[in-house]
Amino acid sequence: MTWMADAGILPHVLKEIAGHRLITTTQRYFHPDVLRILESGRALTHHLEKLQRDGQITRRW
């Protein structure tokens, strides 16, 4: 599951692949490394900055 998540498969898709009823069950199998966590934070920051530049959000997060 971790490898699939690292490959970019979305959690709700992984839930279906694994046959889990709850997403929380699927999430127990995710073990991201520190690099993935940092990359995710940078991606979110980049996304929010773009939304702000485009005027879609008006305040700082």
Side-chain angles (χ1 to χ4, degrees):
M1 297 301 288
T2 298
W3 292 344
M4 293 168 77
D6 286 347
I9 299 172
L10 298 173
H12 69 279
V13 176
L14 290 173
K15 177 181 132 330
E16 295 300 318
I17 292 170
H20 297 148
R21 187 173 60 83
L22 301 173
I23 192 72
T24 53
T25 304
T26 308
Q27 291 169 331
R28 289 182 195 155
Y29 293 94
F30 295 172
H31 305 288
D33 60 25
V34 173
L35 237 123
R36 291 276 181 195
I37 293 168
L38 291 173
E39 288 172 2
S40 297
R42 283 192 287 265
L44 176 59
T45 298
H46 176 74
H47 177 69
L48 291 173
E49 287 172 345
K50 182 181 182 321
L51 290 176
Q52 188 177 32
R53 277 192 310 273
D54 294 346
Q56 295 180 31
I57 56 174
T58 56
R59 63 183 180 99
R60 197 94 171 121
W61 49 94

